[in-house]
Every structure is written in C-alpha cells, then in structure tokens.
Amino acid sequence: MIAGVGVDMVRIERMEKSLASEAFWQRVFGAEERAFLEKLSPARRCASAAANFAAKEAFLKACGVGLGGFSLADIQVLRLESGAPYYALRGAAAAHMAEKGLHASLSLSHEGGLAAAFAVLERE
C-alpha cells in the first residue's frame, strides 16, 4: 500500500554553484554519496548532485515532514551497478522508515538543465 509520494525538481546550474562550498557538501551529502559523486566528471557530477538533492526533497515530502525533517546527509542517494538509484538511509530517516514499516522507491531524471526525482513510500 502506498503511504507517501513526493516529487521535486532542481536546476542543475544552481547545484553547480552550491557544489563550490565544502560546507554544502558536508551538510547535504553523506560519505558514500560524496564518494560516488566525486568519481564523476564535473558535468555529470552537477547533474547527479542535483538529482540527488531533488531525491532528498522528494523523500521529505513523501514522509510529510518537509525540509529540516531529517538531516539531508542521512538521506543518501546511491546507484546500483545497473545505474538504478536507491535510498541508503541513516539516523532519524532510517528510524522513521523502520518504525512505520516503510520502504522507499526512487526514480531520477535530468534533461534541459533540470533534475527531477520521484519518491514513493510503501508499507512493507
């Protein structure tokens, strides 16, 4: 059963400016996520970081808590070998999902200077 849905979009150009700040990197992206993003070319890094940021906001919306509900760095967005994105949750975000018996699914896309994310929460 679907328990929550969230969608968000981010301008890739805006993310490019934000990535210049080390404080932003630390506040927004978890360690595994940073390692993934740092391996990408600069253009792919910006697009993927924007998609990841949109995924974090989509997750918060799906949970019904909004920005500030959980630490953004605890909502990591990683990729399987196939390239499929998935949430790797930690801290309060992981506790929330476990407490409510929820599983999160995620879809990402970027085109025309925009990155989009769609999150669906389902009861396990």
Side-chain angles (χ1 to χ4, degrees):
M1 177 167 95
I2 293 177
V5 174
V7 65
D8 195 67
M9 296 175 68
V10 173
R11 290 191 186 283
I12 294 170
E13 178 183 304
R14 180 175 164 225
M15 183 57 56
E16 185 174 6
K17 292 176 185 175
S18 297
L19 292 177
S21 165
E22 183 61 32
F24 180 83
W25 273 96
Q26 297 295 321
R27 187 177 85 256
V28 173
F29 302 110
E32 293 170 86
E33 200 173 20
R34 286 192 308 269
F36 163 75
L37 292 169
E38 289 169 352
K39 291 179 184 176
L40 302 175
S41 69
R44 287 200 60 211
R45 181 179 308 128
C46 289
S48 291
N52 282 24
F53 191 87
K56 293 166 188 283
E57 292 206 356
F59 176 81
L60 293 170
K61 290 174 183 178
C63 288
V65 297
L67 196 58
F70 306 119
S71 165
L72 292 178
D74 283 347
I75 307 167
Q76 294 193 105
V77 178
L78 303 175
R79 310 299 190 278
L80 297 173
E81 278 190 43
S82 67
Y86 68 95
Y87 288 109
L89 304 172
R90 302 202 186 288
H96 172 83
M97 296 293 282
E99 176 184 308
K100 304 231 181 249
L102 299 174
H103 168 77
S105 296
L106 172 64
S107 181
L108 303 175
S109 185
H110 38 79
E111 177 67 34
L114 292 172
F118 189 81
V120 176
L121 304 185
E122 297 175 276
R123 297 226 184 273
E124 293 181 333

